Amino acid sequence: MPVMAARPLARRLPRQRWLLPVLLALVLLVALGYIVAGFVGVPVPGFPSHAQGPVTTLTLNATVTYASARLTIQRVQQAQTFADDPQATADGMLRIFLHEENPTASPIMYNLYQCVHLLVPGKGAEAPLLVTANGPLVPQASRNNLLDFAVPLNLPLSKLTLRLGTANEAQMDIPLTSKPDLSRYAPRSVTLNTQLQYFGLNWTVTRAVLAWSTAGQQAPRGKVFLTLTLTVENTLAQTAIPGSPYDYIRLQTANGDRIAPSYSTLPVAFVQGANGQGGTVTFSVPQQDQQFTLIMGQSGSGMQSASTTIRLAS
């Protein structure tokens, strides 16, 4: 009887060679998928959940001018946390949707981490944890921004106030309520017809504007900017050169302080026959003052000084 030869085992070896690497690859793929799912926010054991919880939204659409930029607080949101904010805490967050516009012809420079704070009861003034767009605003530009603050979730929005302005600036407080009254921060214009004579010229103060900012700058702490518009009539037979308004114009406040101009567009000279030529002169004045004395005169010029009262109460 013929002897049966044993079937060689060599043919089974290739299957054993690729089976183990395939199993290892599958295990690695499952582990990698688990890790990726955890990091992207899928609720899996061993990873914190980043799913966005309930969000409360309040629409404000409140606009105010800060440092000559037009800022609109469009709406605010309150939640336990914000899943898209890497700086968010888990104890409560507040998000402000801010629209910024630069209506001027010059860049406006401010740092939102320094000039925007949230007044939180029991915690004081809180700086934002996250600002999505910061830096200068170029002329005629606008941008949308998100500002996130750490705020306990149990605090109602009506207890919170947004403050614009650094510690050295005139600060503006905006309550986070529907349709907040911001009228006190709006520029106020007063029509005048105040006249005086200086340097042989007939001067008329035609208008006064009180504003919390001008020329890309916020007023100093406790102050506002007062801008006077002046026109000049030159009846002399020659050009009159009173010089720089920074040298001969002063504004006296109620407590007797004399203030030099912060800005001016008045020319240094007025040609013969000029009528209606002029410009503006801006002063930083106490917020509470409503009456000032405009003084024109420069020691050593040989010209008699002149003054007039500027009343702003309406």
Side-chain angles (χ1 to χ4, degrees):
M1 187 172 179
V3 179
M4 300 282 297
R7 180 177 297 179
L9 299 177
R11 294 180 181 178
R12 297 181 181 180
L13 291 178
R15 181 180 300 179
Q16 293 174 348
R17 288 195 186 106
W18 61 256
L19 182 60
L20 183 58
V22 168
L23 291 175
L24 289 175
L26 288 174
V27 171
L28 288 174
L29 285 174
V30 171
L32 182 61
Y34 186 91
I35 294 171
V36 171
F39 277 115
V40 299
V42 177
V44 293
F47 287 88
S49 175
H50 297 287
Q52 182 60 59
V55 176
T56 301
T57 302
L58 174 67
T59 300
L60 275 74
N61 285 328
T63 301
V64 69
T65 298
Y66 167 75
S68 298
R70 197 158 44 230
L71 306 184
T72 299
I73 298 92
Q74 298 172 318
R75 61 190 183 278
V76 296
Q77 289 184 340
Q78 195 171 22
Q80 186 74 50
T81 190
F82 290 118
D84 57 354
D85 182 354
Q87 308 297 328
T89 69
D91 300 325
M93 293 291 296
L94 182 97
R95 171 166 290 177
I96 292 178
F97 291 77
L98 183 68
H99 181 72
E100 305 165 71
E101 297 178 57
N102 178 2
T104 74
S106 302
I108 297 177
M109 310 286 290
Y110 53 72
N111 187 330
L112 290 169
Y113 284 104
Q114 299 174 355
C115 66
V116 178
H117 291 82
L118 195 68
L119 303 185
V120 182
K123 297 182 68 177
E126 295 289 318
L129 297 181
L130 176 71
V131 176
T132 57
N134 205 8
L137 269 175
V138 299
Q140 304 300 317
S142 64
R143 68 188 178 198
N144 291 316
N145 215 334
L146 296 179
L147 283 69
D148 285 357
F149 299 84
V151 178
L153 188 60
N154 60 355
L155 274 178
L157 292 175
S158 59
K159 300 291 186 182
L160 303 173
T161 300
L162 184 70
R163 172 168 288 175
L164 300 178
T166 67
N168 296 323
E169 295 176 334
Q171 296 177 326
M172 302 182 291
D173 291 345
I174 303 170
L176 297 187
T177 57
S178 180
K179 298 179 180 179
D181 182 9
L182 304 179
S183 57
R184 71 180 297 247
Y185 304 126
R188 182 163 68 93
S189 179
V190 179
T191 300
L192 302 171
N193 188 30
T194 306
Q195 299 177 342
L196 71 163
Q197 288 186 325
Y198 171 70
F199 215 87
L201 303 170
N202 299 322
W203 301 75
T204 301
V205 185
T206 61
R207 189 171 70 141
V209 176
L210 286 166
W212 289 63
S213 64
T214 192
Q217 298 293 320
Q218 187 72 357
R221 182 181 180 91
K223 304 290 185 65
V224 291
F225 287 116
L226 171 63
T227 298
L228 302 177
T229 301
L230 299 95
T231 60
V232 172
E233 180 186 15
N234 183 4
T235 60
L236 301 174
Q238 61 186 20
T239 296
I241 309 176
S244 170
Y246 295 97
D247 295 331
Y248 68 86
I249 295 183
R250 294 292 182 268
L251 194 71
Q252 185 169 298
T253 64
N255 64 5
D257 290 339
R258 291 194 176 188
I259 305 170
S262 300
Y263 311 97
S264 181
T265 62
L266 284 171
V268 298
F270 300 90
V271 298
Q272 177 187 357
N275 190 0
Q277 186 182 5
T280 62
V281 59
T282 300
F283 304 88
S284 173
V285 302
Q287 293 179 8
Q288 70 277 6
D289 284 12
Q290 295 296 307
Q291 181 170 306
F292 306 90
T293 302
L294 179 65
I295 302 171
M296 292 186 176
Q298 186 175 359
S299 60
S301 67
M303 301 299 298
Q304 184 177 358
S305 63
S307 64
T308 189
T309 300
I310 305 294
R311 294 184 178 88
L312 303 178
S314 57

